[in-house]
Amino acid sequence: MVKSRSPRAPSRLRTVQCSTCQAAFETRHSQGRYCSEACARDGERKSWRAYGERNRDRRQTYHRAHYAANAEKVITRTAAYLQTPAGRQTATTKRENQKARAPEKIAARHAVKVALQQGRLVRQPCERCGTEPTEAHHPDYSRPLAVMWLCQPCHLAEHGRAPRTTRPVEAAE
C-alpha cells in the first residue's frame, strides 16, 4: 500500500516591515520583503543601482566592447526608436532634465546659435586638425561666445570619448 502524504499545512501569518517604505504588513511568504508591487519595483531599482555602482568599470568595459562589435545595429535601432512616440517622449524628457541640470550649458549653446545666425560669430575649421565641418566647444560656459571650433572626432576626444564609427541614417520624411 502506498503512503499518501498529508497535505501541507499553510505557513503561519507573520508581520514584517517593508524594506522600501517601512510599513508593517502581513505575509505567509518566507522571503516577503515588500508590501506592494510598487515597493518591490523601487527596491529592485535600488538593488540594480547599487550593483551598477559596484561594477561600473566591468559593465563599462563590456558595453564598450559590445558597441564596438555591433555599432551599426545599435545606431540603426536607436534611430528607429527615436522615431516612435516613446522615443520622442524619451528625447523630450532627456532635454528637460538637461535644462534643469545645466541651464548655463543650454544658454551657452543658444548664444552660439544666435551669434552664428546674426553673423557675429563665424564657423572656423577645426583648431586641431583643420578639417570641416566643425562644432563649437565651450571650455567655459560663463563665456558663451569664447568657443573652440573642433571637428566631431576632435570634439569627442576633448571630452574623453571615442568617435562613432558610423552615423545614424536619417529617416525619410
Side-chain angles (χ1 to χ4, degrees):
M1 179 169 188
V2 178
K3 281 186 168 179
S4 64
R5 297 177 102 187
S6 63
R8 204 172 149 174
S11 57
R12 65 181 177 82
L13 199 58
R14 60 193 185 97
T15 304
V16 293
Q17 192 174 24
C18 177
S19 295
T20 303
C21 68
Q22 309 304 318
F25 70 101
E26 293 184 337
T27 183
R28 291 186 191 282
H29 195 283
S30 63
Q31 301 295 316
R33 296 180 53 192
Y34 305 109
C35 64
S36 67
E37 287 293 322
C39 282
R41 197 168 38 251
D42 289 345
E44 289 162 4
R45 278 191 189 126
K46 286 179 187 173
S47 173
W48 276 107
R49 259 189 233 117
Y51 171 83
E53 289 168 6
R54 284 192 314 269
N55 297 287
R56 182 173 309 279
D57 293 338
R58 188 176 65 135
R59 292 176 69 237
Q60 192 175 55
T61 302
Y62 166 80
H63 287 293
R64 284 187 175 155
H66 174 77
Y67 182 85
N70 302 290
E72 189 67 38
K73 281 198 283 189
V74 172
I75 291 169
T76 303
R77 190 174 60 231
T78 302
Y81 172 70
L82 290 174
Q83 299 303 312
T84 66
R88 287 191 292 271
Q89 180 60 44
T90 299
T92 300
T93 303
K94 184 177 177 181
R95 273 192 309 275
E96 289 169 357
N97 289 344
Q98 189 174 22
K99 281 182 191 177
R101 239 186 358 261
E104 69 283 351
K105 183 185 281 192
I106 303 300
R109 288 177 180 168
H110 183 70
V112 167
K113 179 181 173 183
V114 170
L116 282 169
Q117 289 172 345
Q118 293 175 347
R120 292 185 293 135
L121 199 58
V122 178
R123 195 175 295 271
Q124 302 291 322
C126 178
E127 292 182 18
R128 289 193 178 166
C129 64
T131 61
E132 290 188 31
T134 55
E135 302 171 344
H137 169 70
H138 288 91
D140 180 8
Y141 291 118
S142 65
R143 298 174 49 219
L145 297 182
V147 296
M148 292 173 58
W149 293 103
L150 301 172
C151 64
Q152 188 181 38
C154 292
H155 196 177
L156 290 171
E158 178 72 22
H159 289 283
R161 299 188 310 243
R164 280 188 169 170
T165 55
T166 58
R167 291 182 174 254
V169 178
E170 295 296 322
E173 293 186 31

